[in-house]
Amino acid sequence: MRNVSQLILLFLNLHANSSGKITLAFVSPSTITISKRSPITSPIGSNILNVRGGDDTLTTSSTSLNGVSMACTTTAITSAVQSGPLGIIALSSIAASAVVPLTMYRQGYSFSVGYGLSVFAMGLAVSSIFSVPLLSLSPLSLLSSAVMFYGARLAAFLLIREWTVPSKKEAMDSFDKSPRLKRIPLAISVSVFYAFLTSPLMYAARAGATATTGILSKIGIIAAWTGAVIEAVADTQKFIIKRGKDKNEQFIGPTNGVYKLCRHPNYFGEVLYWFGLLLAGLPSFGKNYPAYLYAGLGFYGIVFIMTGATKRLVGKQKERYGGQEDYEEYVKQVPASIWPCTSS
């Protein structure tokens, strides 16, 4: 059905741009032949040529429905991202283009490598569609760059960690239980969630460069970059200290640097990043009430996930390191588990 509709669109497009007649003939399930007859002038007379149907010159070309399908899909996604109520669906499809194949390969990638790559893909797509200059210091450029940096850095880090830390690879292997086709609903649902999270960038780009020049947007951009950097530093610091010692029963930290802010600054940095993106895009929402709903649900979801993950990790650390002097001293010095300057 989709190919039939695309074929009709192709026919109409060709017909609208030609005064000649067009004949479509199927050559294979994925290929059609397009024959176009263009009027010519003949000294013999048009009436005689009409009897044989020869008053036209026949030219034939072939086109692949796969190519037409790709072009139509790309155009539809671009149009939906630029304006209209289907923007969140288009953004979800961009995320799914990264998440679905990765989830089919490794189920755990749906919320690890696929998460990072989908955020990068959405940031890149929005920047490309709205021609955002990435090397500029304009607020919208900085916001787009923050999204792409966050996604690319996270995906690369998670891949490197899986390849070099045995326990992480084992954990990832343990997720590969469902048949591949049954993973698709999971991949699509998390893609929609990632689109909710990233939607403020799309709405900010729709509103134009001036929409992110206000003080609220600038604070959000600063918060987003700060959160992305904090998470990157925390991940790197922990990776270096624990590499090769991930099954060590002795507490070895890290306890310095950003780990003085709270005991899980990588989770805090992630929440801060998404909060900054939400704040930066907020002024562009205007009276677009679905935008508030999508972005709000996305941010609520990430806060819920990060706080839940923190509680589980705190419980595991207490079970593993509880009673050890170094661990107890660190908890005493840094009581905040995820929110700095608090005891939680």
Side-chain angles (χ1 to χ4, degrees), residues 19 56 59 109 154 172-173 200 207 214 232 252 255 262 271 316 321 331 335:
S19 60
D56 303 324
T59 57
Y109 280 0
L154 182 62
M172 192 62 64
D173 290 341
I252 57 175
T255 59
C262 58
V271 174
K316 289 181 179 179
Y321 305 125
V331 172

Side-chain angles (χ1 to χ4, degrees), residues 301-322:
I302 201 66
V303 171
F304 178 81
I305 291 170
M306 290 297 102
T307 52
T310 301
K311 289 179 181 178
R312 288 192 296 272
L313 189 53
V314 167
K316 289 181 179 179
Q317 288 182 338
K318 283 184 178 180
E319 182 179 345
R320 189 172 187 178
Y321 305 125

Side-chain angles (χ1 to χ4, degrees), residues 133-154:
L134 299 181
L135 298 180
S136 170
L137 294 179
S138 67
L140 185 57
S141 297
L142 291 173
L143 188 62
S144 299
S145 299
V147 172
M148 286 188 284
F149 167 78
Y150 178 85
R153 197 282 315 172
L154 182 62

Side-chain angles (χ1 to χ4, degrees), residues 42 60 67 135:
S42 170
T60 303
L135 298 180

Side-chain angles (χ1 to χ4, degrees), residues 41-264:
T41 302
S42 170
I44 300 176
S46 60
N47 290 334
I48 296 176
L49 291 176
N50 281 336
V51 172
R52 300 298 301 268
D55 61 330
D56 303 324
T57 298
L58 180 65
T59 57
T60 303
S61 62
S62 296
T63 184
S64 169
L65 282 180
N66 292 333
V68 174
S69 175
M70 181 64 71
C72 289
T73 301
T74 302
T75 301
I77 290 175
T78 298
S79 178
V81 169
Q82 288 174 332
S83 62
L86 299 181
I88 198 67
I89 296 177
L91 210 58
S92 299
S93 67
I94 295 170
S97 69
V99 176
V100 171
L102 286 171
T103 303
M104 297 288 279
Y105 175 63
R106 299 295 299 273
Q107 186 169 346
Y109 280 0
S110 60
F111 49 83
S112 60
V113 179
Y115 168 38
L117 279 183
S118 68
V119 172
F120 172 77
M122 287 184 283
L124 181 62
V126 170
S127 300
S128 176
I129 290 170
F130 291 95
S131 300
V132 180
L134 299 181
L135 298 180
S136 170
L137 294 179
S138 67
L140 185 57
S141 297
L142 291 173
L143 188 62
S144 299
S145 299
V147 172
M148 286 188 284
F149 167 78
Y150 178 85
R153 197 282 315 172
L154 182 62
F157 168 75
L158 292 174
L159 267 179
I160 292 172
R161 190 180 66 171
E162 180 193 346
W163 292 340
T164 58
V165 180
S167 65
K168 298 301 180 183
K169 185 180 185 304
E170 291 171 6
M172 192 62 64
D173 290 341
S174 68
F175 286 108
D176 288 331
K177 296 178 180 179
S178 302
R180 281 182 166 79
L181 290 180
K182 290 187 177 181
R183 301 174 189 178
I184 294 178
L186 168 66
I188 293 176
S189 62
V190 296
S191 296
V192 173
F193 173 58
Y194 301 154
F196 281 5
L197 281 168
T198 314
S199 63
L201 174 63
M202 178 183 70
Y203 293 117
R206 281 183 175 187
T210 57
T212 52
T213 57
I215 185 64
L216 189 63
S217 291
K218 289 181 178 178
I219 292 174
I221 293 169
I222 293 172
W225 268 107
T226 302
V229 170
I230 287 176
E231 183 176 7
V233 171
D235 282 342
T236 303
Q237 191 176 348
K238 189 174 184 179
F239 175 76
I240 292 173
I241 290 177
K242 290 206 166 189
R243 186 180 178 187
K245 305 174 184 176
D246 54 311
K247 293 185 178 182
N248 196 330
E249 294 299 324
Q250 289 295 122
F251 178 72
I252 57 175
T255 59
N256 296 317
V258 292
Y259 283 84
K260 285 186 175 295
L261 292 172
C262 58
R263 299 199 302 276
H264 305 287

